[in-house]
Amino acid sequence: MIREKQLRLFLKSIDIEMKNLNILNYSLTHSSYANDDINVNYEKYEFLGDAILEFIITEELFKRFYDKAEGELSKLRSIIVCEITLYNLAKKWNLGDYIRFGKGEILTGGKEKISILADCVEAVIAAIYLECGIETAKKFILSNFKPVIDDIARNKINFDFKTKLQEDMHAKGITSIEYKLLHKTGPEHKAIFHTMLVIDGKEWAKGIGNSKKESEQEAAKNTLLLMNIL
C-alpha cells in the first residue's frame, strides 16, 4: 500500500492517470533492488521509451521545421533527447525519490546519477505508452519537451557549444577550461572519441563523437545543459 500511494503521488505530480500500476512500478525499479515480487527492472522499459521518445520528437521536428535538411533535424533531435535534457526533466519531477534501489546503490548515490535518472524518464514514457496509449504518451512528451523545442524555434540554440561555454565562463571570470580525451573505441577508420570537459579542475560532462572536435562539442553541450544555460 505504501508503494501504491507513492506511485499515485508521482502520477499526480506529472498529471497522468493509470489504473494498473505494475508497469510503472517496474519502470521505477533499479536492477539492484530485488525481492520475491519484483524481478523486473527499468532497463527493458527504457529501451521501449527511448524509441517512442525519438519517434514523437522526430515527427514534431519534421512538421515544425519542414524546411530544414535531414542533418539539421538530426542535430536538433540530439539536443532534445540527450541524456542531460532527460536528467533535468527527472530532477524537475524529483524522480529519484520514486525509484526503488538496493541498499548498495543507495549508498553510492544512485538516486542522483545522471544516467539512471535519464533512463528512468524513458522508462516512464514506456509505461505511459503501454498503460495509456500512444496519444497520451505523445501529449505527455510534447508537453514536457516543449520548452526545449520552443527555444529551437526561437533560434536560442547555438550549435557552437564550445564558443558559448567559453563566453559564459569568461563572463564569470573562469578561464581554466580543458577538454581531456579519455579514450578512443572502435577501429581506427571508424574511431569513437570520448572526451571529458574539466572546468577549474572539476569534471563536468562527457562527450562522444566520431571526431575529437565532435566529442568536445558534445561535452560542451552536455555541460551547458547541466548548468541550465541552454
Side-chain angles (χ1 to χ4, degrees):
M1 289 299 293
I2 294 176
R3 180 59 170 168
E4 180 181 348
K5 186 176 181 180
Q6 186 184 42
L7 293 174
R8 293 289 180 198
L9 185 63
F10 171 66
L11 286 173
K12 184 177 180 180
S13 73
I14 62 172
D15 196 24
I16 289 289
E17 292 183 5
M18 286 185 190
K19 291 182 179 179
N20 189 333
L21 298 179
N22 286 339
I23 291 177
L24 179 63
N25 193 28
Y26 297 148
S27 72
L28 293 175
T29 298
H30 189 264
S31 57
S32 63
Y33 183 92
N35 63 25
D36 293 337
D37 62 325
I38 296 290
N39 54 20
V40 182
N41 62 65
Y42 70 79
E43 293 172 7
K44 185 175 181 179
Y45 295 95
E46 178 267 329
F47 169 77
L48 176 60
D50 174 68
I52 296 166
L53 174 62
E54 186 162 311
F55 167 69
I56 296 300
I57 295 300
T58 299
E59 180 187 46
E60 181 68 9
L61 293 177
F62 181 84
K63 291 177 179 177
R64 289 187 63 170
F65 305 101
Y66 190 77
D67 59 323
K68 292 189 181 295
E70 179 271 338
E72 290 181 279
L73 291 174
S74 293
K75 287 181 179 179
L76 295 177
R77 184 179 61 196
S78 71
I79 293 172
I80 296 168
V81 303
C82 76
E83 185 176 70
I84 301 302
T85 301
L86 295 171
Y87 169 75
N88 287 336
L89 194 55
K91 295 297 289 181
K92 178 183 175 182
W93 297 344
N94 295 316
L95 192 58
D97 293 339
Y98 300 99
I99 302 172
R100 282 185 160 186
F101 293 102
K103 291 181 180 179
E105 190 64 36
I106 292 174
L107 292 173
T108 57
K111 66 183 294 184
E112 296 295 331
K113 289 181 180 177
I114 294 174
S115 60
I116 292 175
L117 291 176
D119 286 350
C120 281
V121 169
E122 293 179 326
V124 167
I125 288 171
I128 293 170
Y129 164 72
L130 291 169
E131 288 296 323
C132 307
I134 188 62
E135 288 304 318
T136 299
K138 179 177 180 177
K139 182 180 178 182
F140 177 78
I141 289 168
L142 295 180
S143 173
N144 280 278
F145 288 83
K146 185 178 184 296
V148 181
I149 298 173
D150 286 348
D151 279 347
I152 287 171
R154 291 192 294 264
N155 293 316
K156 285 190 173 182
I157 302 295
N158 182 354
F159 286 115
D160 187 359
F161 300 111
K162 288 182 66 177
T163 297
K164 178 163 180 57
L165 179 84
Q166 183 172 315
E167 289 173 349
D168 278 76
M169 294 303 100
H170 283 187
K172 296 175 181 178
I174 299 171
T175 57
S176 177
I177 303 170
E178 180 185 3
Y179 293 88
K180 295 175 64 176
L181 180 62
L182 300 176
H183 56 271
K184 292 193 296 182
T185 57
E188 195 61 35
H189 66 288
K190 282 188 177 181
I192 302 295
F193 294 77
H194 300 252
T195 296
M196 172 66 75
L197 176 55
V198 181
I199 301 175
D200 268 357
K202 177 184 176 181
E203 293 185 345
W204 274 90
K206 293 179 183 177
I208 301 173
N210 295 317
S211 66
K212 187 170 181 289
K213 182 178 179 181
E214 187 176 307
S215 70
E216 290 176 353
Q217 284 283 357
E218 183 75 7
K221 177 194 75 177
N222 288 339
T223 299
L224 288 166
L225 287 166
L226 195 58
M227 292 177 170
N228 291 317
I229 293 175
L230 282 184

